[in-house]
Amino acid sequence: MQNDFLWGGSTSAFQFEGGANEGGKGDSFYDTISKNSKLAQESSEGWMGLNKIKDYSVTSDFYHHYEEDIQLMAEMGFKAFRMSIAWTRILPTGDGEINQTGIDFYSDVFKTLKEHDIEPVVTLYHWDMPQSLIDRYHGWYGIETVEAFKKYVEICFREFGQYVKYWLTLNENNLTLKLPAFGTGMKVSKKDSFYNEFAYRVYHNTNIAHFYAVKKCHEMLPEAKIGCMIASSLSYPLTSDPEDVFMALKHNQELTYDYLDLLCRGGYTRKNKLEMEAKKSTIASENTDLFSNPSAKIDFISFSYYFSVCSGTEQSSADENAETLQMMYQALKNPKLKESSFGWTIDPKGLRILMNELYDRYQLPLMIVENGLGVKDDILTEDKKVHDPYRIEYLKQHIQAVKEAVDEDNVECLGYLPWGCIDLYSASGDRDKRYGFIYVDYEDNCKRYKKDSFNWYKNVIQTNGEEL
Ligand code: BG6
């Protein structure tokens, strides 16, 4: 691995930061869930398939623990830390007055990271849509939200550009066509005649927002690097039957390549445009002037990788009511792979395959900004230890795959930032699904405890991945 490889960890504001009712923060979609028990109830019954958690106001309370947390990251030797900015901490209504207390909070966090030689990797939007924009414009469905986002990212670049070199635009935006209603406040079902137009509009608006952020970043911060962030869902054919091979190809095309082709090749592909036209959508041609602008092209591709899936003609076992985003598109079970207790296949080789596919296709550096094993098995013992050999084993295999991709296949990779490095709330709504090197005791003021994996990862970083 190269000497400047960014070893670290990853989080998002709504799952980790807390302080929801402090420092002048406005409500996001998740704060509404915390405050509105009816919505929380609907969520727990599977609204969007997400959010059994009823209260996001504290989560892991990074808001009050950031100095301690950054100290712990420094002790592990982190070179980088991924976090997101809560849009409503900067602009409480999404597009109105600036909240100086919010600016001060993030400036302090970034300064503290820099003091410890840790590079912040900052996601501009990790799903916490301002509630006011949902109420007024239905979130990304309204072009007005794109205008609000433009204002928000300019503030971020202006205020934090002196500290932040690595930026990510919208978290896992390749899923938007699959989950367009998320964060719009609208319940549009696939059976509605309006569905296709709705889904394409939401997707298209997020794309305009993405291209604008990339271009603006390059203009305002020429030294910075900005990338996209995608959810990977690599699919294999279940068998060598060409029908299965074709279905795997379609899966990868629709979930990964259609989106990355758009971002890297300057516009919707011909196939994509024809599909939209066939569905009577004219959206693909609106406001696309930025799409092919060279300065709106990303500098690197970042992605989450947890598992792979299989595609084939066999009756699909995909569960429409599945608990997690990932399982919503989980196709067929791979008979060759073991699974985690949450039903996610464990496939380190898939990570190497994916890295090769992405790099060969787009010739852009990669950054792994999510990976890891979420389990309920972490137990805080009486002497305040957590023994997590399963996590060490999972990460060991995946880091080995990254090393092989980098050292043997010559893939350019900027860093490895496993998810939830300090325990946080799961996006699928189970706060006991833990990923961290550091245990957070939610029953006792979010106190932090090092798990066994803490020292293991510290040694991995110290030896630059030589000792796993
Ligand atoms: C990614 C998201 O989809 O997967 C994270 O960017 C999420 O927000 C992560 O937490 C893991 O998923 P889960 O459901 O285990 O929290």
Side-chain angles (χ1 to χ4, degrees):
M1 305 292 246
Q2 69 273 22
N3 287 333
D4 58 355
F5 189 77
L6 297 172
W7 295 100
S10 176
T11 60
S12 81
F14 83 89
Q15 296 170 271
F16 187 57
E17 185 176 287
N21 304 314
E22 291 170 71
K25 182 179 179 297
D27 284 351
S28 77
F29 161 70
Y30 288 97
D31 299 315
T32 305
I33 291 179
S34 309
K35 288 176 185 172
N36 178 337
S37 55
K38 188 163 170 289
L39 187 53
Q41 184 59 34
E42 284 181 16
S43 305
S44 68
E45 284 164 7
W47 184 65
M48 309 291 199
L50 298 170
N51 304 317
K52 271 193 250 162
I53 293 166
K54 310 269 190 301
D55 190 344
Y56 288 86
S57 56
V58 178
T59 59
S60 302
D61 203 19
F62 180 67
Y63 193 72
H64 295 107
H65 288 257
Y66 70 89
E67 285 174 328
E68 177 192 353
D69 286 351
I70 293 169
Q71 185 62 48
L72 285 162
M73 292 174 207
E75 206 187 312
M76 268 189 284
F78 272 29
K79 313 280 183 233
F81 173 56
R82 174 182 176 225
M83 53 183 276
S84 71
I85 295 177
W87 187 342
T88 53
R89 203 177 279 293
I90 305 298
L91 293 168
T93 60
D95 59 356
E97 292 295 304
I98 297 180
N99 176 32
Q100 188 57 42
T101 316
I103 306 264
D104 295 344
F105 167 68
Y106 289 116
S107 301
D108 281 347
V109 170
F110 297 142
K111 272 187 228 162
T112 313
L113 285 166
K114 289 298 221 187
E115 278 161 23
H116 289 88
D117 291 325
I118 300 174
E119 284 289 348
V121 175
V122 174
T123 318
L124 287 161
Y125 175 73
H126 197 125
W127 301 343
D128 44 0
M129 175 58 72
Q131 185 60 42
S132 174
L133 297 177
I134 294 178
D135 295 341
R136 285 180 289 150
Y137 311 124
H138 294 301
W140 290 121
Y141 180 67
I143 192 74
E144 298 87 346
T145 296
V146 179
E147 292 306 312
F149 183 76
K150 289 180 181 177
K151 177 175 173 184
Y152 159 66
V153 299
E154 282 174 32
I155 298 167
C156 291
F157 296 149
R158 192 178 62 233
E159 297 291 337
F160 309 130
Q162 57 183 309
Y163 313 112
V164 181
K165 181 173 167 201
Y166 295 101
W167 298 89
L168 311 180
T169 56
L170 286 76
N171 189 64
E172 296 188 340
N173 201 39
N174 58 318
L175 299 183
T176 297
L177 260 185
K178 287 262 166 215
L179 295 164
F182 183 52
T184 65
M186 294 168 81
K187 291 188 184 177
V188 186
S189 118
K190 281 196 176 146
K191 292 179 194 126
D192 295 338
S193 55
F194 169 62
Y195 183 82
N196 282 327
E197 189 64 17
F198 166 76
Y200 283 128
R201 185 164 294 284
V202 171
Y203 180 56
H204 188 63
N205 284 347
T206 59
N207 293 331
I208 299 172
H210 162 90
F211 282 110
Y212 183 86
V214 175
K215 178 163 177 290
K216 210 63 200 171
C217 180
H218 287 147
E219 262 169 39
M220 293 175 70
L221 306 170
E223 303 294 315
K225 302 274 177 219
I226 185 160
C228 62
M229 194 294 189
I230 62 158
S232 61
S233 72
L234 174 73
S235 183
Y236 305 119
L238 185 66
T239 70
S240 55
D241 180 343
E243 292 296 336
D244 289 1
V245 175
F246 187 72
M247 286 183 77
L249 184 129
K250 254 179 99 72
H251 172 103
N252 292 329
Q253 186 68 42
E254 284 170 11
L255 274 153
T256 307
Y257 301 130
D258 279 348
Y259 183 65
L260 288 178
D261 286 357
L262 163 72
L263 267 41
C264 301
R265 296 177 177 168
Y268 294 111
T269 59
R270 178 184 160 276
K271 268 170 80 183
N272 243 201
K273 274 197 201 146
L274 291 175
E275 271 158 28
M276 288 193 212
E277 274 168 36
K279 289 177 181 163
K280 307 262 181 293
S281 172
T282 54
I283 289 163
S285 56
E286 292 171 15
N287 292 314
T288 55
D289 42 323
L290 272 187
F291 289 21
S292 54
N293 187 319
S295 68
K297 187 176 167 193
I298 45 175
D299 302 306
F300 62 94
I301 294 171
S302 87
F303 63 89
S304 60
Y305 177 85
Y306 293 96
F307 53 75
S308 60
V309 299
C310 279
S311 302
T313 48
E314 190 182 284
Q315 185 75 34
S316 169
S317 62
D319 179 359
E320 286 290 318
N321 299 312
E323 278 191 14
T324 67
L325 277 180
Q326 283 79 1
M327 286 170 88
M328 287 186 83
Y329 57 68
Q330 181 135 20
L332 303 173
K333 299 228 178 253
N334 189 328
K336 301 274 184 199
L337 296 175
K338 294 207 173 91
E339 292 179 350
S340 76
S341 49
F342 280 83
W344 292 7
T345 54
I346 298 175
D347 182 16
K349 186 65 129 199
L351 177 55
R352 182 173 176 184
I353 294 169
L354 180 77
M355 290 175 74
N356 274 279
E357 293 272 357
L358 294 179
Y359 188 65
D360 291 347
R361 193 164 171 134
Y362 300 105
Q363 301 287 306
L364 285 172
L366 307 177
M367 193 190 283
I368 302 156
V369 296
E370 291 189 29
N371 177 234
L373 182 68
V375 294
K376 280 195 185 201
D377 307 346
D378 291 352
I379 310 277
L380 187 62
T381 60
E382 276 188 12
D383 58 347
K384 306 296 181 200
K385 303 260 190 289
V386 177
H387 304 300
D388 57 346
Y390 34 84
R391 178 165 297 107
I392 294 174
E393 189 50 37
Y394 178 100
L395 293 171
K396 192 185 274 190
Q397 292 176 16
H398 285 77
I399 294 173
Q400 182 61 35
V402 177
K403 279 172 59 177
E404 287 163 7
V406 171
D407 296 338
E408 294 176 33
D409 310 335
N410 298 317
V411 170
E412 205 180 341
C413 181
L414 301 172
Y416 177 73
L417 312 178
W419 179 246
C421 48
I422 300 176
D423 285 344
L424 41 65
Y425 279 27
S426 146
S428 41
D430 187 342
R431 72 175 198 185
D432 290 321
K433 186 181 186 191
R434 295 168 183 269
Y435 286 86
F437 303 110
I438 294 164
Y439 184 92
V440 175
D441 189 351
Y442 298 119
E443 306 303 330
D444 185 10
N445 300 307
C446 289
K447 280 194 189 144
R448 272 69 168 146
Y449 298 97
K450 297 172 189 171
K451 301 181 193 176
D452 288 354
S453 54
F454 181 101
N455 283 321
W456 171 79
Y457 194 46
K458 180 177 172 181
N459 189 54
V460 170
I461 299 177
Q462 231 164 35
T463 60
N464 198 23
E466 283 305 308
E467 286 176 24
L468 295 179

